[in-house]
Amino acid sequence: MEPIGMDALLALTGRWSAGRGPLYLLLASRLRQLIEAGELPDGCLLPPDRRLASALAVGRSTVVAAYDVLRQEGRLARVQGSGTRVRAEPVSPTTDAGRNPLFAHLLDRPDDGVLHLTCAAPDDLPPEFAAAHTRALTELTGGLGIHPRGVPSLRRALADRYTDRGVPTTPDQILVTTGAQQALALLTRLLLAPGDAVLTETPTYPGAIELFRDASAVLHTVPVTDAGLDVDAFAAAMRTVRPALAYLTPSFHNPTGSLVPVFGRQRLARAAAELRIPLIDDEVLVDLGFSDHPVPVAAYMSDVITVGSLSKLVWGGLRVGWIRADAATVGKLARLRAMHDLGGNTLSQLAAAHLVHDLDTVRRHRVTLLRERHDHLVALLRRHLPDWRFTPALGGQTLWVTLPDTDASIYAQAALRLGVAVLPGSAFDPAGGGRAQLRVPFVAAPATLTEVVHRLAAAWAPAR
């Protein structure tokens, strides 16, 4: 394909620098928009960084950094001797949530017989669910029914639960949200500005990746291996990167199911406190340990921000989450939330307050199911897909599988043609790595898991 002319590219970029944030992020954002719109088609050769910098009247480092951002996203490819070319189909998650594999499957789920393993959340209701809503209905007394901070009874119940877990908490330290995703979105809005650094694990939760990218943050990562998170490396990265926030899931990590032990939690809390870095402990999966029920990182440093949710323990459709933080931070977050939606569903929150009181009972039932399904899936994979490598999870909902000598994104397409939707590892890596990995949830019933593995095995045979 012919290179794009400089005049044509300048006309397309237009007023690219008219915005907030570092110039390289503004330029990367405009080029990204042009690629997504097809204005810069696949294979299009872009000008060398020095020429483009001169034409845009910016330093060469601005163009180099913008090209690097888009290369990390898989939107550009630089080949020695061939220059920088557009890749219209990115190999990693993008800032467009609709193109992230996780969100794409949620947004477009026709009734086509596909077994969806992309969103790991329970689809069955515990018996306590209906009883909690019946009790909540009797408590509705009319009135305005709008609570931007959350229904008081739920905030008290959550504060009491944290106190019982070793983290003294008052209701003014709790903000109820519409699921953990909104909690992370509010924290991102409060704590990040364009160009800020974020430190996180890789792999990590795709929804967090998208929020940080949408805020035009620069992501730095520390690997999670078969042995779990390297806590010393994460603490060292906090010191060298000095991020505007650090985000991690130390309790039954999504997607690997690993657990950061007590000494690691203490190390992370101390490092964040010493450096005054906001540390977000995503506890959405904390109640799903097969044997352990770890204490929050905030037990070792109260300023740690904790995010929780009922969607993984009770039901995926129960969109009730929360943030535990200091009262001043909760006040700021409440004002942000009020601007967005004034407050969540009052009936769901009243019911959630009763569920929190019964949470240990719900937890025992859910963990028993998950452990059985985990063991069933492990046995099936070892029998039907012996080439696949994985470490059994310590809790959570997913296995992190390595496919030998295979691109997981390509394999995921083959599996989809046989009626199974799974997420490739690149969806969990901010830099587009994880090309050999696949996340396989074990939340479905045993019969469904059996059918899933049979289809996965059928898709695997031609790949070998």
Side-chain angles (χ1 to χ4, degrees), residues 27 69 110 162 175 287 294 299 343 415 418 462:
L27 178 58
V69 168
Y162 276 110
L175 176 74
D287 290 308
L418 291 182

Side-chain angles (χ1 to χ4, degrees), residues 12-321:
L12 288 172
T13 54
R15 298 176 59 193
W16 65 273
S17 60
R20 294 177 54 204
L23 287 174
Y24 80 93
L25 288 177
L26 296 174
L27 178 58
S29 176
R30 181 57 182 152
L31 292 175
R32 186 186 300 114
Q33 292 170 2
L34 294 173
I35 293 170
E36 290 179 351
E39 300 284 356
L40 296 176
D42 186 41
C44 175
L45 180 64
L46 296 182
D49 42 50
R50 290 185 185 276
R51 284 191 58 217
L52 183 56
S54 176
L56 295 174
V58 297
R60 175 173 173 259
S61 61
T62 296
V63 177
V64 170
Y67 280 0
D68 281 344
V69 168
L70 296 175
R71 274 199 297 272
Q72 289 181 11
E73 296 177 5
R75 297 179 181 280
L76 296 181
R78 170 166 280 182
V79 180
Q80 190 69 29
S82 299
T84 299
R85 293 186 179 272
V86 171
R87 296 184 63 170
E89 291 298 326
V91 298
S92 66
T94 75
T95 53
D96 177 0
R99 299 183 71 171
N100 179 289
L102 171 64
F103 294 107
H105 283 286
L106 288 173
L107 291 167
D108 183 18
R109 293 189 63 170
D111 185 13
D112 53 5
V114 171
L115 300 174
H116 286 274
L117 277 73
T118 50
C119 184
D123 59 5
D124 58 318
L125 296 171
E128 294 83 2
F129 184 87
H133 280 77
T134 298
R135 294 169 68 183
L137 283 169
T138 67
E139 296 169 355
L140 289 176
T141 58
L144 192 59
I146 295 176
H147 303 276
R149 291 175 180 262
V151 169
S153 61
L154 177 55
R155 294 168 61 214
R156 284 194 301 272
L158 290 168
D160 290 345
R161 186 165 178 82
Y162 276 110
T163 300
D164 291 342
R165 294 177 62 208
V167 187
T169 304
T170 58
D172 64 352
Q173 292 179 268
I174 300 291
L175 176 74
V176 179
T177 60
T178 304
Q181 186 69 22
Q182 186 186 58
L184 293 174
L186 292 171
L187 288 165
T188 299
R189 175 75 180 274
L190 178 67
L191 298 174
L192 290 182
D196 280 349
V198 170
L199 180 64
T200 186
E201 307 144 308
T202 186
T204 191
Y205 170 51
I209 295 173
E210 297 308 309
L211 288 169
F212 300 149
R213 282 185 170 156
D214 190 57
S216 296
V218 180
L219 275 69
H220 301 262
T221 60
V222 174
V224 177
T225 66
D226 290 342
L229 175 66
D230 186 334
V231 170
D232 289 336
F234 199 93
M238 281 197 277
R239 189 173 300 279
T240 56
V241 173
R242 293 299 178 102
L245 70 83
Y247 167 80
L248 73 166
T249 54
S251 301
F252 316 114
H253 171 258
N254 179 11
T256 69
S258 61
L259 175 69
V260 174
V262 169
F263 78 88
R265 292 164 185 262
Q266 294 169 336
R267 175 88 171 88
L268 293 167
R270 284 197 300 267
E274 177 188 344
L275 300 169
R276 298 187 176 182
I277 293 171
L279 177 62
I280 299 175
D281 174 8
D282 187 335
E283 276 206 322
V284 166
L285 299 170
V286 72
D287 290 308
L288 301 182
F290 297 154
S291 58
D292 294 290
H293 192 211
V295 299
V297 179
Y300 308 107
M301 189 58 62
S302 62
D303 287 344
V304 170
I305 299 169
T306 307
V307 170
S309 170
L310 293 178
S311 66
K312 305 301 184 185
L313 183 61
V314 180
W315 180 47
L318 183 57
R319 307 306 303 156
V320 175

Side-chain angles (χ1 to χ4, degrees), residues 405-419:
D405 304 318
T406 302
D407 187 314
S409 295
I410 295 174
Y411 172 74
Q413 291 299 315
L416 185 60
R417 288 193 289 273
L418 291 182

